[in-house]
Tab-separated table of all heavy atoms in Angstrom:
chain	number	residue	atom	x	y	z
F	11	PHE	N	-47.201	-36.657	-9.588
F	11	PHE	CA	-47.073	-38.038	-10.017
F	11	PHE	C	-48.385	-38.698	-9.596
F	11	PHE	O	-48.605	-38.905	-8.399
F	11	PHE	CB	-45.902	-38.718	-9.331
F	11	PHE	CG	-44.542	-38.164	-9.708
F	11	PHE	CD1	-43.841	-37.320	-8.863
F	11	PHE	CD2	-43.999	-38.458	-10.948
F	11	PHE	CE1	-42.613	-36.806	-9.204
F	11	PHE	CE2	-42.752	-37.915	-11.313
F	11	PHE	CZ	-42.068	-37.091	-10.447
F	14	ASN	N	-50.231	-37.573	-6.389
F	14	ASN	CA	-49.245	-36.969	-5.485
F	14	ASN	C	-48.692	-35.667	-6.102
F	14	ASN	O	-47.873	-35.710	-7.020
F	14	ASN	CB	-48.123	-37.987	-5.232
F	14	ASN	CG	-47.104	-37.463	-4.239
F	14	ASN	OD1	-47.339	-36.484	-3.563
F	14	ASN	ND2	-45.988	-38.151	-4.174
F	16	VAL	N	-46.202	-33.035	-6.146
F	16	VAL	CA	-44.876	-32.884	-5.515
F	16	VAL	C	-44.401	-31.446	-5.592
F	16	VAL	O	-43.773	-30.967	-4.631
F	16	VAL	CB	-43.884	-33.816	-6.258
F	16	VAL	CG1	-42.475	-33.594	-5.791
F	16	VAL	CG2	-44.291	-35.286	-6.046
F	35	PRO	N	-35.667	-30.624	3.329
F	35	PRO	CA	-35.702	-32.015	3.767
F	35	PRO	C	-35.907	-32.961	2.594
F	35	PRO	O	-36.370	-32.592	1.519
F	35	PRO	CB	-36.889	-32.047	4.741
F	35	PRO	CG	-37.660	-30.809	4.549
F	35	PRO	CD	-36.744	-29.824	3.899
F	36	SER	N	-35.548	-34.216	2.853
F	36	SER	CA	-35.735	-35.286	1.878
F	36	SER	C	-37.197	-35.410	1.534
F	36	SER	O	-38.074	-35.332	2.393
F	36	SER	CB	-35.191	-36.572	2.512
F	36	SER	OG	-35.353	-37.614	1.634
F	37	GLY	N	-37.493	-35.581	0.230
F	37	GLY	CA	-38.876	-35.748	-0.178
F	37	GLY	C	-39.605	-34.437	-0.423
F	37	GLY	O	-40.809	-34.447	-0.792
F	38	SER	N	-38.908	-33.317	-0.318
F	38	SER	CA	-39.608	-32.011	-0.475
F	38	SER	C	-39.748	-31.603	-1.950
F	38	SER	O	-40.431	-30.654	-2.218
F	38	SER	CB	-38.839	-30.937	0.319
F	38	SER	OG	-37.519	-30.840	-0.105
F	39	GLY	N	-39.150	-32.355	-2.862
F	39	GLY	CA	-39.338	-32.072	-4.291
F	39	GLY	C	-38.118	-31.438	-4.967
F	39	GLY	O	-38.237	-31.006	-6.114
F	40	LYS	N	-36.993	-31.409	-4.300
F	40	LYS	CA	-35.794	-30.748	-4.857
F	40	LYS	C	-35.358	-31.409	-6.167
F	40	LYS	O	-35.092	-30.702	-7.150
F	40	LYS	CB	-34.654	-30.726	-3.818
F	40	LYS	CG	-35.035	-30.133	-2.471
F	40	LYS	CD	-33.881	-30.136	-1.503
F	40	LYS	CE	-33.312	-31.519	-1.157
F	40	LYS	NZ	-34.280	-32.412	-0.466
F	41	SER	N	-35.200	-32.722	-6.131
F	41	SER	CA	-34.764	-33.413	-7.366
F	41	SER	C	-35.790	-33.274	-8.483
F	41	SER	O	-35.427	-33.029	-9.633
F	41	SER	CB	-34.539	-34.911	-7.097
F	41	SER	OG	-33.462	-35.090	-6.174
F	42	THR	N	-37.045	-33.415	-8.146
F	42	THR	CA	-38.100	-33.269	-9.153
F	42	THR	C	-38.023	-31.876	-9.797
F	42	THR	O	-38.170	-31.727	-11.002
F	42	THR	CB	-39.490	-33.489	-8.500
F	42	THR	OG1	-39.507	-34.789	-7.895
F	42	THR	CG2	-40.600	-33.384	-9.508
F	43	PHE	N	-37.766	-30.884	-8.964
F	43	PHE	CA	-37.672	-29.514	-9.520
F	43	PHE	C	-36.515	-29.415	-10.499
F	43	PHE	O	-36.666	-28.931	-11.636
F	43	PHE	CB	-37.466	-28.513	-8.338
F	43	PHE	CG	-37.217	-27.132	-8.792
F	43	PHE	CD1	-38.212	-26.431	-9.449
F	43	PHE	CD2	-35.994	-26.490	-8.583
F	43	PHE	CE1	-38.015	-25.129	-9.888
F	43	PHE	CE2	-35.776	-25.239	-9.034
F	43	PHE	CZ	-36.750	-24.539	-9.682
F	51	GLU	N	-38.281	-34.532	-16.308
F	51	GLU	CA	-39.704	-34.728	-15.929
F	51	GLU	C	-40.533	-33.663	-16.680
F	51	GLU	O	-40.048	-32.515	-16.799
F	51	GLU	CB	-39.921	-34.528	-14.399
F	51	GLU	CG	-39.177	-35.501	-13.537
F	51	GLU	CD	-39.745	-36.943	-13.589
F	51	GLU	OE1	-40.756	-37.141	-14.253
F	51	GLU	OE2	-39.112	-37.789	-12.955
F	162	GLU	N	-27.358	-32.977	-5.390
F	162	GLU	CA	-26.613	-33.621	-4.249
F	162	GLU	C	-25.346	-34.288	-4.726
F	162	GLU	O	-25.151	-35.502	-4.531
F	162	GLU	CB	-27.524	-34.625	-3.527
F	162	GLU	CG	-28.734	-33.940	-2.903
F	162	GLU	CD	-29.405	-34.799	-1.822
F	162	GLU	OE1	-28.658	-35.594	-1.185
F	162	GLU	OE2	-30.590	-34.671	-1.628
Q	301	LIG	P1	-36.093	-34.639	-2.778
Q	301	LIG	O1	-35.119	-34.584	-3.898
Q	301	LIG	O2	-36.325	-33.281	-2.139
Q	301	LIG	O3	-35.688	-35.633	-1.730
Q	301	LIG	P2	-37.870	-35.771	-4.730
Q	301	LIG	O4	-38.101	-34.731	-5.756
Q	301	LIG	O5	-36.928	-36.835	-5.068
Q	301	LIG	O6	-37.503	-35.061	-3.346
Q	301	LIG	O7	-39.253	-36.467	-4.361
Q	301	LIG	C1	-40.385	-35.745	-3.956
Q	301	LIG	C2	-41.583	-36.679	-4.000
Q	301	LIG	O8	-41.842	-37.088	-5.328
Q	301	LIG	C3	-41.386	-37.958	-3.193
Q	301	LIG	O9	-42.577	-38.214	-2.507
Q	301	LIG	C4	-41.164	-38.985	-4.264
Q	301	LIG	O10	-41.628	-40.244	-3.858
Q	301	LIG	C5	-41.953	-38.467	-5.429
Q	301	LIG	N1	-41.426	-38.906	-6.721
Q	301	LIG	C6	-40.241	-38.479	-7.247
Q	301	LIG	N2	-40.018	-39.021	-8.467
Q	301	LIG	C7	-41.089	-39.806	-8.730
Q	301	LIG	C8	-41.464	-40.629	-9.823
Q	301	LIG	N3	-40.720	-40.755	-10.902
Q	301	LIG	N4	-42.677	-41.297	-9.713
Q	301	LIG	C9	-43.462	-41.129	-8.651
Q	301	LIG	N5	-43.154	-40.390	-7.570
Q	301	LIG	C10	-41.992	-39.711	-7.607
Side-chain angles (χ1 to χ4, degrees):
F11 295 104
N14 183 14
V16 172
S36 180
S38 57
K40 306 180 299 297
S41 294
T42 303
F43 175 66
E51 298 290 355
E162 298 199 29

